[in-house]
Amino acid sequence: ETGVTQSPTHLIKTRGQQVTLRCSSQSGHNTVSWYQQALGQGPQFIFQYYREEENGRGNFPPRFSGLQFPNYSSELNVNALELDDSALYLCASSPAVAPPYNEQFFGPGTRLTVL
Amino acid sequence: AQKVTQAQTEISVVEKEDVTLDCVYETRDTTYYLFWYKQPPSGELVFLIRRNSFDEQNEISGRYSWNFQKSTSSFNFTITASQVVDSAVYFCALSGHSNTGNQFYFGTGTSLTVIP
């Protein structure tokens, strides 16, 4: 069984640019959540997708957007990057039962650095 | 407001000592779930346990045990006979459903160092 995978592993961008991060959910999982984890902090919930629809959103501005595809993989897009967007971005998938009641299985993350 | 507080920022113990990690949560939901995750230096979060708000039965799993008390809004985690491999950051998390959809809240984590 393949776990959650994310790409790329590391990324360096400059302020004002746009970035797309990708996530493949674990087999059989139809729910994907994205988190931002700043250094020394806990993960902050960005949003969740359930069967291709946004199913919850944290306190992040609209320049953070996402997509979920029919195969349940997902993208996180961030426009107009700011220095504070530098963080580890984690993707998590949950089994095919209604969230938020399930444990989430996390990928290894994408480390984004904004210069 | 929904919130998870882990007051212990860092804990160091000597190998084979027992250690308890504290978690206090706030929520207005009547149905919610609590989780513990472990984040080793590699960075990947590892699921340890889930408890729902209706299940206050405490559990022991090997060297791990959990103490869930709704009366004090606490969900503490204990490692018995700690080992060096237990060194990691441990996160407590709360999930629930609000009018804006599902929400997940993590605490700021407790960094555990087990000294050989």
Side-chain angles (χ1 to χ4, degrees), chain A:
Chain A
E1 184 179 79
T2 306
V4 179
T5 60
Q6 292 185 244
S7 62
T9 306
H10 295 87
L11 202 52
I12 299 175
K13 292 284 189 179
T14 56
R15 195 168 47 181
Q17 285 188 311
Q18 178 266 342
V19 68
T20 297
L21 309 182
R22 295 179 174 83
C23 171
S24 291
S25 60
Q26 189 164 319
S27 176
H29 291 187
N30 62 5
T31 303
V32 173
S33 303
W34 285 93
Y35 294 83
Q36 180 193 68
Q37 187 178 17
L39 200 60
Q41 300 295 315
Q44 297 292 311
F45 176 63
I46 303 175
F47 43 57
Q48 180 185 81
Y49 281 83
Y50 175 52
R51 294 181 175 176
E52 303 177 59
E53 297 285 334
E54 187 176 289
N55 193 43
R57 187 177 182 95
N59 189 26
F60 279 81
R63 58 189 186 85
F64 285 79
S65 62
L67 280 175
Q68 187 179 32
F69 300 100
N71 66 354
Y72 303 130
S73 65
S74 177
E75 286 183 356
L76 164 65
N77 299 290
V78 187
N79 294 322
L81 284 167
E82 301 177 359
L83 297 179
D84 284 347
D85 296 333
S86 295
L88 180 68
Y89 287 84
L90 295 163
C91 169
S93 72
S94 303
V97 179
Y101 314 121
N102 291 300
E103 59 271 29
Q104 298 177 78
F105 295 86
F106 283 80
T110 294
R111 171 72 64 187
L112 172 65
T113 302
V114 181
L115 302 176

Side-chain angles (χ1 to χ4, degrees), chain B residues 3-58:
Chain B
K3 186 179 177 183
V4 173
T5 301
Q6 295 179 253
Q8 304 154 307
T9 306
E10 296 181 3
I11 298 178
S12 291
V13 297
V14 176
E15 198 172 19
K16 299 184 182 176
E17 287 185 343
D18 298 347
V19 58
T20 295
L21 308 181
D22 298 333
C23 174
V24 174
Y25 64 92
E26 297 175 31
T27 181
R28 287 177 292 203
D29 292 346
T30 53
T31 301
Y32 53 90
Y33 281 72
L34 295 162
F35 304 81
W36 275 97
Y37 282 87
K38 173 182 179 180
Q39 189 173 42
S42 61
E44 192 163 333
L45 282 158
V46 177
F47 166 75
L48 295 176
I49 190 172
R50 173 191 64 183
R51 270 289 175 270
N52 70 51
S53 50
F54 299 110
D55 179 7
E56 290 193 69
Q57 180 179 356
N58 294 314

